[in-house]
Amino acid sequence: MSRYRILVIDNEEDLCGIIRFTLETEGYIVDVVYSAEDALLKNISEYNLLLIGVTLSEISGFRMARIIRNNPKTAITPIIFIATNDNENDRLTAFSVGADDYMIKPFSLREMAARIKVIISRTENKKLVTFQQLSYNKLIIDLARKQVLLDEKEIQFTKKEFEILKLLMENRNRLFSREELLKRIWSEEAFVLSRTIDVNITRIRAKIGTYGKNIVTKLGLGYCFEE
């Protein structure tokens, strides 16, 4: 299996040791820390899943989850909470801060491993779908089908229009000069007027409705897709 990385954060050292042994036996790479403070010193984005104790020290498990969810690099990292008490309010809080699952101590280690496998698989599939799409609110480029969708309806684009919008949305807030756009989009054609870029940009803006305003002209410099 792929060497997925898991970070366990709980103040019960014996439990952490047992979880680590179980998950390493399953083929995972497992790191353990005993506080949220120590966990946040790590590069959380390197991990495929986090097991977080609800009751930690100064920074609670819930507060740590909020910090993780507010960071774009870790916003979709799966989180499983492990709690001492089966408290409805804690469960509700856990899911409100972005938990993927919630387990009560003591729990079955085999069940824990099974849940982790399902959640990691689901998240990896979600990442694959995300990788095959570029999106900005309701404007979506389906890279696999080479389609542009607005409010879930396909818009007809020429090949060059598609390539321009794709390039701009892949590199949001980056400015492209007309010369660079010509070189990238019309690389195989010997002679193309820079005016051609302006015409295509005008057509793209008209086709994507209110999102047309996101394609900004920098006078004398070029174009960019601004968020």
Side-chain angles (χ1 to χ4, degrees), residues 92-208:
L92 293 174
T93 300
F95 289 111
S96 73
V97 298
D100 293 85
D101 207 343
Y102 188 94
M103 302 195 319
I104 309 299
K105 305 173 186 177
F107 46 78
S108 161
L109 294 171
R110 289 180 60 193
E111 181 181 347
M112 174 197 69
R115 291 190 186 199
I116 287 173
K117 184 177 181 180
V118 168
I119 291 172
I120 287 180
S121 176
R122 186 172 65 211
T123 305
E124 291 303 304
N125 289 336
K126 188 184 297 183
K127 285 181 180 177
L128 179 61
V129 170
T130 301
F131 180 74
Q132 292 175 333
Q133 292 184 344
L134 294 171
S135 64
Y136 181 77
N137 296 334
K138 294 185 179 181
L139 176 63
I140 297 172
I141 297 180
D142 187 323
L143 300 175
R145 295 183 176 86
K146 297 190 180 302
Q147 294 176 335
V148 178
L149 306 173
L150 180 61
D151 292 326
E152 300 183 356
K153 295 180 181 178
E154 182 181 359
I155 308 169
Q156 295 301 315
F157 266 57
T158 67
K159 182 174 184 292
K160 298 301 184 186
E161 290 168 354
F162 180 88
E163 290 176 356
I164 292 170
L165 183 61
K166 173 176 174 290
L167 179 64
L168 294 177
M169 287 184 64
E170 280 178 332
N171 300 274
R172 296 175 197 179
N173 302 313
R174 177 187 165 185
L175 183 69
F176 287 90
S177 68
R178 287 177 175 81
E179 292 73 20
E180 188 172 3
L181 288 171
L182 285 171
K183 187 181 296 184
R184 285 173 176 256
I185 307 298
W186 280 270
S187 58
E188 299 176 358
E189 300 179 32
F191 181 74
V192 181
L193 295 173
S194 62
R195 175 65 179 162
T196 303
I197 296 291
D198 303 333
V199 171
N200 278 271
I201 291 289
T202 299
R203 290 175 180 167
I204 292 169
R205 282 176 174 149
K207 290 181 178 183
I208 62 178

Side-chain angles (χ1 to χ4, degrees), residues 31-46:
D31 291 330
V32 169
V33 291
Y34 307 115
S35 71
E37 290 85 347
D38 287 340
L40 293 170
L41 293 175
K42 292 183 171 290
N43 184 356
I44 300 294
S45 63
E46 292 181 349

Side-chain angles (χ1 to χ4, degrees), residues 7 10 29 44 56 66 69 71 74 76 88 110 141 168 184 220:
L7 179 61
D10 195 85
I29 299 171
I44 300 294
L56 296 173
R66 289 190 183 96
R69 289 290 178 253
N71 184 339
T74 56
I76 64 168
E88 183 181 12
R110 289 180 60 193
I141 297 180
L168 294 177
R184 285 173 176 256

